[in-house]
Structure formats: C-alpha cells, structure tokens
Amino acid sequence: MEGQLIQDYLHRLGVSARAPDAEFLRELQERHLMAVPFENIDFHLGRPIRLGEHALEKVVRRGRGGTCRELNGSVFPALLRALGYRVTLLGSRVFRGDRPSFPLGHTVIRVDTPQPWLVDVGFGRDGARYPLQLDSRAPQPDPNGTFAFVPGPDGDLDLLRDGAPVLRIEQHPRTVDDFLHVLWWYENSPSSPFRKSLFCTRQSENGRITLRGNLLTRTGKAHREKLLLNGDAEIRQAYREHFGITLDRLPPIPQEVPEHSL
C-alpha cells in the first residue's frame, strides 16, 4: 500500500497516523464505521465484487463502501498492516436465531497489539463500535450493546451481543482467497441476502443511518425516524448527503426487501 494511498485513506477517516497501539486501533475502527458505509450497491448494478487493490481503489479513490469481504477482507487490513499492526483474517458464521449459518459466511479481523482484538468494520448494526478483546471472557460494554465471548464447539468462539449469539468465530488464520467461493455464492445465488436486499448503512455519532432501497432510517438512543424517498433525485441526494456516495446510475430496488441484519 503506497504512501499517498495511506494518506488518502486516513484523510477519509479524519485521523492522522501515529503509534500502532490499542488506543489508536479503537479510534480507527470507530472512525471507519462512521466514514465508510457497509453497502451492497454493486450487487444490484451488476458489477463484480473485486478484492485486493480493486477494493482499495473503490473505497479510497472512489469514496465508496463495501461488504465484509471488501472492508474486513481487503481494505482495512491493508491499512492496518501499513500502519504497523499485526493482522490476521478469521472466518466466522453468522447466527440466524440460535443457529449459525454456513462456514466463512462473514470475514473478521484479529489484530494483536500485543493483546488480541476482534476488529470488524463490515457487519452493520449487530457489530461493536470498538474492538473487542478476544482473550477476555468478561462482558465488554460498548455503545452498540454488551458483548462477550464464550467457548464454542471445535475450538471456535461465540460472540454474544446482549446475551444473544451473533457470530461463531474460527481461531485459525485465513487468507482472503479462502472466502472467494462464498463471495461467489453471495453474488450469484437467488437465496443470497445481498441479492434480495439493497442497503447502505453506517454508524452515526448517536446511532445509525441506513438507506434500504428508497427508505431512509435514522436511529438514535431514544428515537427512530423513517423517511420514504420520492424519486431518483431524492435517492441520489440521500446517497451523497448521508454516505458521501455519488453514483453514475442508481441500482434497481428489489421488489422484495426482507429484514436483514444491518
């Protein structure tokens, strides 16, 4: 990752480089969640999801967001390594109710400072605002809930949010290539939640801002505001105003928009 790209990335996050310690990691994750949206626009524009340098170009040069494969799998790890952090990719399974989904359904990051931290900037509303200490079994309060790790089967760790399981995390290292077959499924399967639902969401100071199709939702600690947007002009303005995204064409809105963990 060359120097100017690092500076441009940090500029988008609104931070300056300093020593790669746990305090700076905490700031980086929070600023990333607020500046770079978790979104699946390209799934609905018919554009392939490309990782590595292509993902960096998309996020840093074009001001876009991405899915966990792009944000957790390629872009944020590249920045963290360039800043001097020790980074490992981990696979995880997303819980639907009390059952985990298929293996490698979600990509997360382990960062050692030297304490091991779970870092996640691509999970939407169920994720923590700050890194979570992987070697702690005590409750970890966070603005997005109280999180805790408990032992899972086969050496995995289950991550709970307010007592409910959200992720089952592997403990052995992965490479970004390990996730490509699942990415293919997300892009091509009619059952893929990314094909069924169009969303763009990011953390805000007091809650979350989400554009799902043409429905804009703003949530805070004590309020939830919904606004149905009328026409392309209002949708384009919402992408620009709330997410910093300018699109040459708008993605079509799926006819069916199911509830999805944002």
Side-chain angles (χ1 to χ4, degrees), residues 196-199 212-215 253-260:
K196 292 180 178 180
S197 178
L198 170 65
F199 60 81
R212 189 198 302 270
N214 63 341
L215 180 64
I253 298 174
Q255 291 184 350
E256 238 179 275
V257 184
E259 281 299 312
H260 186 270

Side-chain angles (χ1 to χ4, degrees), residues 22 110-117 133 135:
R110 171 178 170 148
V111 178
D112 292 274
T113 65
Q115 307 102 316
W117 299 93
Q133 195 164 339
D135 59 355

Side-chain angles (χ1 to χ4, degrees), residues 19-256:
D21 55 19
E23 181 182 358
F24 188 34
L25 181 66
R26 178 183 170 97
E27 181 181 359
L28 284 168
Q29 174 163 317
E30 180 182 37
R31 292 308 309 160
H32 204 288
L33 289 169
M34 291 187 179
V36 182
F38 175 52
E39 49 101 336
N40 69 339
I41 296 169
D42 283 349
F43 283 77
H44 299 273
L45 291 174
R47 295 172 178 165
I49 306 302
R50 304 171 73 182
L51 306 180
E53 293 182 3
H54 299 285
L56 281 166
E57 174 72 20
K58 176 181 176 180
V59 171
V60 181
R61 301 291 192 215
R62 292 165 46 206
R64 287 282 305 278
T67 63
C68 75
R69 247 42 83 169
E70 297 162 288
L71 303 182
N72 286 341
S74 288
V75 179
F76 201 37
L79 176 65
L80 293 174
R81 291 186 180 107
L83 294 172
Y85 286 100
R86 180 183 166 195
V87 174
T88 305
L89 296 185
L90 300 176
S92 66
R93 303 166 71 178
V94 180
F95 274 87
R96 301 296 183 217
D98 60 355
R99 299 186 59 141
S101 66
F102 47 82
L104 303 181
H106 182 56
T107 309
V108 294
I109 310 166
R110 171 178 170 148
V111 178
D112 292 274
T113 65
Q115 307 102 316
W117 299 93
L118 179 75
V119 171
D120 194 341
V121 294
F123 195 41
R125 71 182 182 192
D126 287 333
R129 180 180 293 203
Y130 301 122
L132 300 171
Q133 195 164 339
L134 272 165
D135 59 355
S136 172
R137 301 296 171 262
Q140 301 186 49
D142 181 89
N144 294 347
T146 298
F147 294 83
F149 294 104
V150 298
D154 304 317
D156 293 345
L157 279 179
D158 285 355
L159 175 63
L160 311 183
R161 176 179 178 264
D162 296 332
V166 290
L167 288 178
R168 176 160 291 166
I169 303 166
E170 300 176 349
Q171 294 302 288
H172 55 278
R174 292 287 187 174
T175 69
V176 70
D177 288 346
D178 293 334
F179 299 94
L180 292 178
H181 67 288
V182 182
L183 176 58
W184 184 94
W185 183 87
Y186 275 127
E187 288 189 87
N188 294 281
S189 171
S191 301
S192 165
F194 291 144
R195 293 283 303 277
K196 292 180 178 180
S197 178
L198 170 65
F199 60 81
C200 185
T201 182
R202 68 170 179 84
Q203 183 86 48
S204 65
E205 289 289 344
N206 298 310
R208 178 163 292 278
I209 301 173
T210 300
L211 179 58
R212 189 198 302 270
N214 63 341
L215 180 64
L216 183 68
T217 304
R218 284 180 275 203
T219 59
K221 292 181 179 179
H223 76 278
R224 183 180 184 90
E225 175 188 346
K226 292 185 177 183
L227 178 64
L228 191 64
L229 305 178
N230 296 311
D232 290 356
E234 290 190 6
I235 296 174
R236 288 181 185 276
Q237 181 180 350
Y239 277 120
R240 287 194 302 268
E241 178 181 347
H242 299 292
F243 307 102
I245 293 177
T246 301
L247 298 171
D248 54 2
R249 62 187 175 96
L250 289 176
I253 298 174
Q255 291 184 350
E256 238 179 275

Side-chain angles (χ1 to χ4, degrees), residues 1-36:
M1 194 173 179
E2 51 93 5
Q4 188 57 53
L5 195 62
I6 297 171
Q7 293 306 312
D8 292 344
Y9 201 159
L10 293 175
H11 178 75
R12 183 173 185 191
L13 302 188
V15 299
S16 300
R18 60 176 194 265
D21 55 19
E23 181 182 358
F24 188 34
L25 181 66
R26 178 183 170 97
E27 181 181 359
L28 284 168
Q29 174 163 317
E30 180 182 37
R31 292 308 309 160
H32 204 288
L33 289 169
M34 291 187 179
V36 182

